[in-house]
Amino acid sequence: MSGGFSVVVKVLPGAALGTHYHIGAVRGFTIRGQWRYLEHDWVAKPGTFMYEPAGEAQTLVITDDSPEPGLIFFAVEGCLIYLDKAVDGGFAAYEDGFTALELARKYYCEDGLDVRKLDALVR
Ligand SMILES: [Fe+2]
């Protein structure tokens, strides 16, 4: 087990994820919307597949002109490390399969859902 996780993120146009890097490879598939990394010129659109090797700091943004919220599937190996600033940043926080599961459990509890149904999905 790598501690990695798969996730579908939904992000509004103009919003961003904090600058971070991954300790393993990431594969992503854009379902809806347009997004990019501030560190690169390319723009991902519905149907775009991306692969990124470990180690590069990046800041994901949904473009201001995206016609809809970004909806992106990511398969993440290992954890990601959030940085406290975009350039020469230091450790701020981390996310992995275990922290994501805790967030999901918290969401289930707050919304009155049966967390046992979530835990039943974990192998
Ligand atoms: Fe990332």
PDB file of all heavy atoms in Angstrom, residues 42-75:
ATOM      1  N   TRP A  42       0.368  25.145 -20.692  1.00  0.00           N
ATOM      2  CA  TRP A  42      -0.719  24.353 -21.262  1.00  0.00           C
ATOM      3  C   TRP A  42      -1.996  24.490 -20.430  1.00  0.00           C
ATOM      4  O   TRP A  42      -1.952  24.800 -19.245  1.00  0.00           O
ATOM      5  CB  TRP A  42      -0.312  22.883 -21.412  1.00  0.00           C
ATOM      6  CG  TRP A  42       0.221  22.214 -20.164  1.00  0.00           C
ATOM      7  CD1 TRP A  42       1.539  22.025 -19.844  1.00  0.00           C
ATOM      8  CD2 TRP A  42      -0.530  21.654 -19.075  1.00  0.00           C
ATOM      9  NE1 TRP A  42       1.638  21.384 -18.627  1.00  0.00           N
ATOM     10  CE2 TRP A  42       0.391  21.142 -18.135  1.00  0.00           C
ATOM     11  CE3 TRP A  42      -1.880  21.531 -18.796  1.00  0.00           C
ATOM     12  CZ2 TRP A  42      -0.003  20.527 -16.952  1.00  0.00           C
ATOM     13  CZ3 TRP A  42      -2.283  20.914 -17.610  1.00  0.00           C
ATOM     14  CH2 TRP A  42      -1.346  20.425 -16.712  1.00  0.00           C
ATOM     15  N   VAL A  43      -3.122  24.267 -21.115  1.00  0.00           N
ATOM     16  CA  VAL A  43      -4.433  24.311 -20.452  1.00  0.00           C
ATOM     17  C   VAL A  43      -5.121  22.972 -20.708  1.00  0.00           C
ATOM     18  O   VAL A  43      -5.253  22.540 -21.856  1.00  0.00           O
ATOM     19  CB  VAL A  43      -5.300  25.464 -21.001  1.00  0.00           C
ATOM     20  CG1 VAL A  43      -6.705  25.409 -20.377  1.00  0.00           C
ATOM     21  CG2 VAL A  43      -4.643  26.806 -20.719  1.00  0.00           C
ATOM     22  N   ALA A  44      -5.545  22.315 -19.633  1.00  0.00           N
ATOM     23  CA  ALA A  44      -6.256  21.044 -19.743  1.00  0.00           C
ATOM     24  C   ALA A  44      -7.739  21.318 -19.960  1.00  0.00           C
ATOM     25  O   ALA A  44      -8.319  22.217 -19.339  1.00  0.00           O
ATOM     26  CB  ALA A  44      -6.056  20.210 -18.476  1.00  0.00           C
ATOM     27  N   LYS A  45      -8.336  20.547 -20.854  1.00  0.00           N
ATOM     28  CA  LYS A  45      -9.759  20.680 -21.172  1.00  0.00           C
ATOM     29  C   LYS A  45     -10.413  19.303 -21.051  1.00  0.00           C
ATOM     30  O   LYS A  45      -9.700  18.302 -20.916  1.00  0.00           O
ATOM     31  CB  LYS A  45      -9.919  21.235 -22.589  1.00  0.00           C
ATOM     32  CG  LYS A  45      -9.315  22.623 -22.722  1.00  0.00           C
ATOM     33  CD  LYS A  45      -9.436  23.168 -24.120  1.00  0.00           C
ATOM     34  CE  LYS A  45      -8.837  24.584 -24.145  1.00  0.00           C
ATOM     35  NZ  LYS A  45      -8.836  25.181 -25.450  1.00  0.00           N
ATOM     36  N   PRO A  46     -11.745  19.215 -21.139  1.00  0.00           N
ATOM     37  CA  PRO A  46     -12.385  17.900 -21.038  1.00  0.00           C
ATOM     38  C   PRO A  46     -11.734  16.897 -21.999  1.00  0.00           C
ATOM     39  O   PRO A  46     -11.546  17.196 -23.180  1.00  0.00           O
ATOM     40  CB  PRO A  46     -13.839  18.193 -21.419  1.00  0.00           C
ATOM     41  CG  PRO A  46     -14.043  19.603 -20.947  1.00  0.00           C
ATOM     42  CD  PRO A  46     -12.737  20.306 -21.259  1.00  0.00           C
ATOM     43  N   GLY A  47     -11.364  15.755 -21.461  1.00  0.00           N
ATOM     44  CA  GLY A  47     -10.709  14.718 -22.243  1.00  0.00           C
ATOM     45  C   GLY A  47      -9.196  14.729 -22.114  1.00  0.00           C
ATOM     46  O   GLY A  47      -8.537  13.783 -22.528  1.00  0.00           O
ATOM     47  N   THR A  48      -8.617  15.774 -21.531  1.00  0.00           N
ATOM     48  CA  THR A  48      -7.166  15.844 -21.372  1.00  0.00           C
ATOM     49  C   THR A  48      -6.707  14.864 -20.303  1.00  0.00           C
ATOM     50  O   THR A  48      -7.214  14.869 -19.181  1.00  0.00           O
ATOM     51  CB  THR A  48      -6.714  17.267 -20.961  1.00  0.00           C
ATOM     52  OG1 THR A  48      -7.077  18.190 -21.977  1.00  0.00           O
ATOM     53  CG2 THR A  48      -5.203  17.311 -20.740  1.00  0.00           C
ATOM     54  N   PHE A  49      -5.739  14.022 -20.673  1.00  0.00           N
ATOM     55  CA  PHE A  49      -5.072  13.138 -19.718  1.00  0.00           C
ATOM     56  C   PHE A  49      -3.717  13.743 -19.405  1.00  0.00           C
ATOM     57  O   PHE A  49      -3.037  14.247 -20.298  1.00  0.00           O
ATOM     58  CB  PHE A  49      -4.886  11.739 -20.307  1.00  0.00           C
ATOM     59  CG  PHE A  49      -4.034  10.844 -19.444  1.00  0.00           C
ATOM     60  CD1 PHE A  49      -4.586  10.173 -18.362  1.00  0.00           C
ATOM     61  CD2 PHE A  49      -2.674  10.690 -19.695  1.00  0.00           C
ATOM     62  CE1 PHE A  49      -3.807   9.357 -17.550  1.00  0.00           C
ATOM     63  CE2 PHE A  49      -1.888   9.879 -18.889  1.00  0.00           C
ATOM     64  CZ  PHE A  49      -2.452   9.207 -17.817  1.00  0.00           C
ATOM     65  N   MET A  50      -3.316  13.709 -18.149  1.00  0.00           N
ATOM     66  CA  MET A  50      -1.989  14.198 -17.803  1.00  0.00           C
ATOM     67  C   MET A  50      -1.282  13.205 -16.891  1.00  0.00           C
ATOM     68  O   MET A  50      -1.909  12.476 -16.139  1.00  0.00           O
ATOM     69  CB  MET A  50      -2.055  15.584 -17.151  1.00  0.00           C
ATOM     70  CG  MET A  50      -2.938  15.712 -15.926  1.00  0.00           C
ATOM     71  SD  MET A  50      -2.328  15.007 -14.378  1.00  0.00           S
ATOM     72  CE  MET A  50      -1.022  16.092 -13.999  1.00  0.00           C
ATOM     73  N   TYR A  51       0.034  13.158 -17.062  1.00  0.00           N
ATOM     74  CA  TYR A  51       0.897  12.362 -16.188  1.00  0.00           C
ATOM     75  C   TYR A  51       1.972  13.282 -15.676  1.00  0.00           C
ATOM     76  O   TYR A  51       2.544  14.057 -16.446  1.00  0.00           O
ATOM     77  CB  TYR A  51       1.531  11.209 -16.973  1.00  0.00           C
ATOM     78  CG  TYR A  51       2.623  10.525 -16.188  1.00  0.00           C
ATOM     79  CD1 TYR A  51       2.318   9.506 -15.287  1.00  0.00           C
ATOM     80  CD2 TYR A  51       3.955  10.902 -16.334  1.00  0.00           C
ATOM     81  CE1 TYR A  51       3.306   8.890 -14.556  1.00  0.00           C
ATOM     82  CE2 TYR A  51       4.960  10.288 -15.596  1.00  0.00           C
ATOM     83  CZ  TYR A  51       4.619   9.283 -14.710  1.00  0.00           C
ATOM     84  OH  TYR A  51       5.603   8.674 -13.981  1.00  0.00           O
ATOM     85  N   GLU A  52       2.235  13.231 -14.411  1.00  0.00           N
ATOM     86  CA  GLU A  52       3.325  14.038 -13.885  1.00  0.00           C
ATOM     87  C   GLU A  52       4.190  13.181 -12.983  1.00  0.00           C
ATOM     88  O   GLU A  52       3.685  12.425 -12.158  1.00  0.00           O
ATOM     89  CB  GLU A  52       2.806  15.268 -13.153  1.00  0.00           C
ATOM     90  CG  GLU A  52       1.897  14.968 -11.995  1.00  0.00           C
ATOM     91  CD  GLU A  52       1.330  16.236 -11.369  1.00  0.00           C
ATOM     92  OE1 GLU A  52       0.536  16.907 -12.028  1.00  0.00           O
ATOM     93  OE2 GLU A  52       1.695  16.522 -10.231  1.00  0.00           O
ATOM     94  N   PRO A  53       5.491  13.271 -13.163  1.00  0.00           N
ATOM     95  CA  PRO A  53       6.392  12.534 -12.280  1.00  0.00           C
ATOM     96  C   PRO A  53       6.462  13.204 -10.911  1.00  0.00           C
ATOM     97  O   PRO A  53       5.988  14.332 -10.727  1.00  0.00           O
ATOM     98  CB  PRO A  53       7.736  12.624 -13.011  1.00  0.00           C
ATOM     99  CG  PRO A  53       7.642  13.872 -13.816  1.00  0.00           C
ATOM    100  CD  PRO A  53       6.193  14.035 -14.184  1.00  0.00           C
ATOM    101  N   ALA A  54       7.043  12.530  -9.966  1.00  0.00           N
ATOM    102  CA  ALA A  54       7.161  13.067  -8.608  1.00  0.00           C
ATOM    103  C   ALA A  54       8.073  14.288  -8.567  1.00  0.00           C
ATOM    104  O   ALA A  54       8.964  14.445  -9.406  1.00  0.00           O
ATOM    105  CB  ALA A  54       7.709  11.988  -7.688  1.00  0.00           C
ATOM    106  N   GLY A  55       7.811  15.158  -7.592  1.00  0.00           N
ATOM    107  CA  GLY A  55       8.800  16.152  -7.212  1.00  0.00           C
ATOM    108  C   GLY A  55       8.641  17.570  -7.699  1.00  0.00           C
ATOM    109  O   GLY A  55       9.313  18.463  -7.195  1.00  0.00           O
ATOM    110  N   GLU A  56       7.759  17.825  -8.677  1.00  0.00           N
ATOM    111  CA  GLU A  56       7.654  19.190  -9.197  1.00  0.00           C
ATOM    112  C   GLU A  56       6.616  19.985  -8.413  1.00  0.00           C
ATOM    113  O   GLU A  56       5.460  19.572  -8.310  1.00  0.00           O
ATOM    114  CB  GLU A  56       7.260  19.151 -10.669  1.00  0.00           C
ATOM    115  CG  GLU A  56       7.140  20.551 -11.255  1.00  0.00           C
ATOM    116  CD  GLU A  56       6.576  20.548 -12.654  1.00  0.00           C
ATOM    117  OE1 GLU A  56       5.363  20.281 -12.801  1.00  0.00           O
ATOM    118  OE2 GLU A  56       7.344  20.790 -13.589  1.00  0.00           O
ATOM    119  N   ALA A  57       6.979  21.138  -7.906  1.00  0.00           N
ATOM    120  CA  ALA A  57       6.011  22.006  -7.230  1.00  0.00           C
ATOM    121  C   ALA A  57       5.066  22.606  -8.263  1.00  0.00           C
ATOM    122  O   ALA A  57       5.487  23.003  -9.354  1.00  0.00           O
ATOM    123  CB  ALA A  57       6.730  23.110  -6.470  1.00  0.00           C
ATOM    124  N   GLN A  58       3.784  22.648  -7.920  1.00  0.00           N
ATOM    125  CA  GLN A  58       2.772  23.099  -8.876  1.00  0.00           C
ATOM    126  C   GLN A  58       1.585  23.724  -8.147  1.00  0.00           C
ATOM    127  O   GLN A  58       1.316  23.408  -6.994  1.00  0.00           O
ATOM    128  CB  GLN A  58       2.281  21.905  -9.698  1.00  0.00           C
ATOM    129  CG  GLN A  58       1.745  20.825  -8.794  1.00  0.00           C
ATOM    130  CD  GLN A  58       1.750  19.464  -9.427  1.00  0.00           C
ATOM    131  OE1 GLN A  58       0.866  18.694  -9.141  1.00  0.00           O
ATOM    132  NE2 GLN A  58       2.696  19.149 -10.262  1.00  0.00           N
ATOM    133  N   THR A  59       0.895  24.616  -8.868  1.00  0.00           N
ATOM    134  CA  THR A  59      -0.270  25.307  -8.323  1.00  0.00           C
ATOM    135  C   THR A  59      -1.401  25.158  -9.322  1.00  0.00           C
ATOM    136  O   THR A  59      -1.379  25.760 -10.401  1.00  0.00           O
ATOM    137  CB  THR A  59       0.035  26.802  -8.097  1.00  0.00           C
ATOM    138  OG1 THR A  59       1.268  26.925  -7.390  1.00  0.00           O
ATOM    139  CG2 THR A  59      -1.089  27.471  -7.321  1.00  0.00           C
ATOM    140  N   LEU A  60      -2.385  24.339  -9.000  1.00  0.00           N
ATOM    141  CA  LEU A  60      -3.508  24.076  -9.907  1.00  0.00           C
ATOM    142  C   LEU A  60      -4.522  25.213  -9.803  1.00  0.00           C
ATOM    143  O   LEU A  60      -4.937  25.573  -8.704  1.00  0.00           O
ATOM    144  CB  LEU A  60      -4.153  22.740  -9.541  1.00  0.00           C
ATOM    145  CG  LEU A  60      -5.283  22.226 -10.428  1.00  0.00           C
ATOM    146  CD1 LEU A  60      -5.382  20.709 -10.285  1.00  0.00           C
ATOM    147  CD2 LEU A  60      -6.615  22.849 -10.140  1.00  0.00           C
ATOM    148  N   VAL A  61      -4.910  25.765 -10.949  1.00  0.00           N
ATOM    149  CA  VAL A  61      -5.963  26.777 -10.975  1.00  0.00           C
ATOM    150  C   VAL A  61      -6.989  26.398 -12.033  1.00  0.00           C
ATOM    151  O   VAL A  61      -6.650  25.866 -13.088  1.00  0.00           O
ATOM    152  CB  VAL A  61      -5.429  28.196 -11.276  1.00  0.00           C
ATOM    153  CG1 VAL A  61      -4.487  28.659 -10.186  1.00  0.00           C
ATOM    154  CG2 VAL A  61      -4.749  28.262 -12.626  1.00  0.00           C
ATOM    155  N   ILE A  62      -8.240  26.662 -11.730  1.00  0.00           N
ATOM    156  CA  ILE A  62      -9.286  26.564 -12.739  1.00  0.00           C
ATOM    157  C   ILE A  62      -9.295  27.920 -13.433  1.00  0.00           C
ATOM    158  O   ILE A  62      -9.402  28.959 -12.761  1.00  0.00           O
ATOM    159  CB  ILE A  62     -10.656  26.255 -12.110  1.00  0.00           C
ATOM    160  CG1 ILE A  62     -10.573  24.989 -11.246  1.00  0.00           C
ATOM    161  CG2 ILE A  62     -11.725  26.118 -13.182  1.00  0.00           C
ATOM    162  CD1 ILE A  62     -10.138  23.731 -11.974  1.00  0.00           C
ATOM    163  N   THR A  63      -9.153  27.930 -14.751  1.00  0.00           N
ATOM    164  CA  THR A  63      -9.011  29.199 -15.459  1.00  0.00           C
ATOM    165  C   THR A  63     -10.250  30.074 -15.251  1.00  0.00           C
ATOM    166  O   THR A  63     -11.371  29.569 -15.121  1.00  0.00           O
ATOM    167  CB  THR A  63      -8.774  28.973 -16.963  1.00  0.00           C
ATOM    168  OG1 THR A  63      -9.890  28.281 -17.516  1.00  0.00           O
ATOM    169  CG2 THR A  63      -7.502  28.154 -17.192  1.00  0.00           C
ATOM    170  N   ASP A  64     -10.036  31.373 -15.228  1.00  0.00           N
ATOM    171  CA  ASP A  64     -11.156  32.312 -15.041  1.00  0.00           C
ATOM    172  C   ASP A  64     -12.208  32.151 -16.129  1.00  0.00           C
ATOM    173  O   ASP A  64     -13.391  32.402 -15.887  1.00  0.00           O
ATOM    174  CB  ASP A  64     -10.632  33.755 -15.036  1.00  0.00           C
ATOM    175  CG  ASP A  64      -9.870  34.070 -13.756  1.00  0.00           C
ATOM    176  OD1 ASP A  64     -10.191  33.488 -12.701  1.00  0.00           O
ATOM    177  OD2 ASP A  64      -8.952  34.901 -13.816  1.00  0.00           O
ATOM    178  N   ASP A  65     -11.770  31.776 -17.327  1.00  0.00           N
ATOM    179  CA  ASP A  65     -12.711  31.651 -18.439  1.00  0.00           C
ATOM    180  C   ASP A  65     -13.245  30.230 -18.601  1.00  0.00           C
ATOM    181  O   ASP A  65     -13.891  29.921 -19.608  1.00  0.00           O
ATOM    182  CB  ASP A  65     -12.074  32.136 -19.736  1.00  0.00           C
ATOM    183  CG  ASP A  65     -10.867  31.287 -20.139  1.00  0.00           C
ATOM    184  OD1 ASP A  65     -10.391  30.478 -19.309  1.00  0.00           O
ATOM    185  OD2 ASP A  65     -10.404  31.453 -21.287  1.00  0.00           O
ATOM    186  N   SER A  66     -13.004  29.377 -17.626  1.00  0.00           N
ATOM    187  CA  SER A  66     -13.569  28.030 -17.703  1.00  0.00           C
ATOM    188  C   SER A  66     -15.096  28.139 -17.759  1.00  0.00           C
ATOM    189  O   SER A  66     -15.698  28.825 -16.920  1.00  0.00           O
ATOM    190  CB  SER A  66     -13.148  27.204 -16.484  1.00  0.00           C
ATOM    191  OG  SER A  66     -13.715  25.907 -16.562  1.00  0.00           O
ATOM    192  N   PRO A  67     -15.738  27.463 -18.712  1.00  0.00           N
ATOM    193  CA  PRO A  67     -17.193  27.602 -18.842  1.00  0.00           C
ATOM    194  C   PRO A  67     -17.982  26.917 -17.730  1.00  0.00           C
ATOM    195  O   PRO A  67     -19.191  27.119 -17.615  1.00  0.00           O
ATOM    196  CB  PRO A  67     -17.475  26.942 -20.203  1.00  0.00           C
ATOM    197  CG  PRO A  67     -16.341  26.013 -20.417  1.00  0.00           C
ATOM    198  CD  PRO A  67     -15.155  26.633 -19.751  1.00  0.00           C
ATOM    199  N   GLU A  68     -17.286  26.144 -16.901  1.00  0.00           N
ATOM    200  CA  GLU A  68     -17.952  25.440 -15.808  1.00  0.00           C
ATOM    201  C   GLU A  68     -16.895  25.081 -14.774  1.00  0.00           C
ATOM    202  O   GLU A  68     -15.697  25.176 -15.034  1.00  0.00           O
ATOM    203  CB  GLU A  68     -18.646  24.183 -16.331  1.00  0.00           C
ATOM    204  CG  GLU A  68     -17.711  23.237 -17.075  1.00  0.00           C
ATOM    205  CD  GLU A  68     -18.446  22.125 -17.791  1.00  0.00           C
ATOM    206  OE1 GLU A  68     -19.592  21.822 -17.419  1.00  0.00           O
ATOM    207  OE2 GLU A  68     -17.858  21.546 -18.718  1.00  0.00           O
ATOM    208  N   PRO A  69     -17.335  24.673 -13.568  1.00  0.00           N
ATOM    209  CA  PRO A  69     -16.347  24.236 -12.573  1.00  0.00           C
ATOM    210  C   PRO A  69     -15.486  23.110 -13.126  1.00  0.00           C
ATOM    211  O   PRO A  69     -15.940  22.299 -13.937  1.00  0.00           O
ATOM    212  CB  PRO A  69     -17.216  23.751 -11.405  1.00  0.00           C
ATOM    213  CG  PRO A  69     -18.507  24.487 -11.557  1.00  0.00           C
ATOM    214  CD  PRO A  69     -18.699  24.623 -13.037  1.00  0.00           C
ATOM    215  N   GLY A  70     -14.242  23.074 -12.672  1.00  0.00           N
ATOM    216  CA  GLY A  70     -13.370  21.981 -13.064  1.00  0.00           C
ATOM    217  C   GLY A  70     -13.769  20.718 -12.325  1.00  0.00           C
ATOM    218  O   GLY A  70     -14.062  20.748 -11.125  1.00  0.00           O
ATOM    219  N   LEU A  71     -13.811  19.612 -13.044  1.00  0.00           N
ATOM    220  CA  LEU A  71     -14.090  18.306 -12.468  1.00  0.00           C
ATOM    221  C   LEU A  71     -12.992  17.391 -12.998  1.00  0.00           C
ATOM    222  O   LEU A  71     -12.951  17.103 -14.205  1.00  0.00           O
ATOM    223  CB  LEU A  71     -15.480  17.831 -12.879  1.00  0.00           C
ATOM    224  CG  LEU A  71     -16.101  16.684 -12.101  1.00  0.00           C
ATOM    225  CD1 LEU A  71     -16.320  17.073 -10.632  1.00  0.00           C
ATOM    226  CD2 LEU A  71     -17.417  16.263 -12.736  1.00  0.00           C
ATOM    227  N   ILE A  72     -12.092  16.978 -12.110  1.00  0.00           N
ATOM    228  CA  ILE A  72     -10.886  16.275 -12.539  1.00  0.00           C
ATOM    229  C   ILE A  72     -10.677  15.035 -11.682  1.00  0.00           C
ATOM    230  O   ILE A  72     -10.755  15.104 -10.449  1.00  0.00           O
ATOM    231  CB  ILE A  72      -9.641  17.185 -12.405  1.00  0.00           C
ATOM    232  CG1 ILE A  72      -9.914  18.558 -12.992  1.00  0.00           C
ATOM    233  CG2 ILE A  72      -8.426  16.541 -13.060  1.00  0.00           C
ATOM    234  CD1 ILE A  72      -9.080  19.656 -12.376  1.00  0.00           C
ATOM    235  N   PHE A  73     -10.403  13.912 -12.358  1.00  0.00           N
ATOM    236  CA  PHE A  73     -10.054  12.674 -11.656  1.00  0.00           C
ATOM    237  C   PHE A  73      -8.544  12.608 -11.534  1.00  0.00           C
ATOM    238  O   PHE A  73      -7.831  12.794 -12.522  1.00  0.00           O
ATOM    239  CB  PHE A  73     -10.569  11.455 -12.440  1.00  0.00           C
ATOM    240  CG  PHE A  73     -10.027  10.157 -11.913  1.00  0.00           C
ATOM    241  CD1 PHE A  73     -10.578   9.567 -10.784  1.00  0.00           C
ATOM    242  CD2 PHE A  73      -8.959   9.529 -12.540  1.00  0.00           C
ATOM    243  CE1 PHE A  73     -10.072   8.375 -10.294  1.00  0.00           C
ATOM    244  CE2 PHE A  73      -8.445   8.338 -12.054  1.00  0.00           C
ATOM    245  CZ  PHE A  73      -9.001   7.761 -10.925  1.00  0.00           C
ATOM    246  N   PHE A  74      -8.056  12.350 -10.331  1.00  0.00           N
ATOM    247  CA  PHE A  74      -6.628  12.162 -10.101  1.00  0.00           C
ATOM    248  C   PHE A  74      -6.390  10.831  -9.415  1.00  0.00           C
ATOM    249  O   PHE A  74      -7.109  10.473  -8.468  1.00  0.00           O
ATOM    250  CB  PHE A  74      -6.052  13.259  -9.196  1.00  0.00           C
ATOM    251  CG  PHE A  74      -5.916  14.605  -9.848  1.00  0.00           C
ATOM    252  CD1 PHE A  74      -6.720  15.656  -9.440  1.00  0.00           C
ATOM    253  CD2 PHE A  74      -4.992  14.823 -10.859  1.00  0.00           C
ATOM    254  CE1 PHE A  74      -6.605  16.898 -10.032  1.00  0.00           C
ATOM    255  CE2 PHE A  74      -4.874  16.060 -11.447  1.00  0.00           C
ATOM    256  CZ  PHE A  74      -5.672  17.107 -11.049  1.00  0.00           C
ATOM    257  N   ALA A  75      -5.381  10.104  -9.872  1.00  0.00           N
ATOM    258  CA  ALA A  75      -4.868   8.923  -9.176  1.00  0.00           C
ATOM    259  C   ALA A  75      -3.481   9.299  -8.685  1.00  0.00           C
ATOM    260  O   ALA A  75      -2.584   9.571  -9.482  1.00  0.00           O
ATOM    261  CB  ALA A  75      -4.816   7.727 -10.113  1.00  0.00           C
TER     262      ALA A  75
END
